[in-house]
Structures are given as structure tokens and as C-alpha cells.
Amino acid sequence: MPIPSLKFRPKYVSFDCYGTLIEWPMSPITRELVGDQIPAGQWDQFVRQFRGYRYDQVRGAYYPYEQVLQDSFERVCRKWG
């Protein structure tokens, strides 16, 4: 059976062979780093802010992913003292 032709042309195609970019388990790793310093009742707020800073970081100029993580982690840690 022939493959049907696409009626649209995607702007982007992403390949995430190891599940590290799209399904990166950031919360468990972050909890290992600072979980004992964040009150349990505020953990979800901390994680949301960290996620927001990561998103903010990738909306501007290109940065290597390691730098995105470092900068956004520093930002959220400064905010939380």
C-alpha cells in the first residue's frame, strides 16, 4: 500500500532518541539537589517557577541546554534564597 501524501508541511521535526529533552525527569533530580531546603508545601511552586525560568531561557538567544539549566537553576535559587 502506498504511503499517503502529506497535506501539510511541518515547520519543525524533533527527534529525542533518549527521552532526555522531551520527557526529562527534572523534578526528581531537582529534589535531590534542593529538596531538603524547600518546605514540602511549597515544592510545587518551586518546581513551577524553575520550569518557567527554563522556558524563559529558551525563548531568547540560543544557549546550550546545559547553560539553560544552569542559568534557570541559579535564577530560581536566588529567588528562593
Side-chain angles (χ1 to χ4, degrees):
M1 170 179 263
I3 299 173
S5 64
L6 294 175
K7 297 196 189 287
F8 71 95
R9 184 171 180 84
K11 290 183 181 181
Y12 304 99
V13 176
S14 174
F15 297 95
D16 186 8
C17 298
Y18 303 106
T20 55
L21 297 176
I22 297 171
E23 292 295 329
W24 181 262
M26 190 62 63
S27 290
I29 294 166
T30 305
R31 189 178 295 273
E32 285 183 34
L33 295 173
V34 295
D36 60 336
Q37 300 172 47
I38 306 297
Q42 296 179 330
W43 179 252
D44 289 341
Q45 181 183 2
F46 179 85
V47 170
R48 275 193 307 275
Q49 288 178 358
F50 185 26
R51 183 181 308 122
Y53 285 139
R54 291 192 315 271
Y55 179 72
D56 181 56
Q57 194 75 20
V58 300
R59 292 182 54 189
Y62 169 79
Y63 288 95
Y65 192 59
E66 181 179 359
Q67 191 66 49
V68 168
L69 294 177
Q70 184 66 43
D71 291 352
S72 52
F73 186 70
E74 287 176 7
R75 286 174 69 186
V76 76
C77 286
R78 269 194 310 271
K79 182 172 185 169
W80 283 74

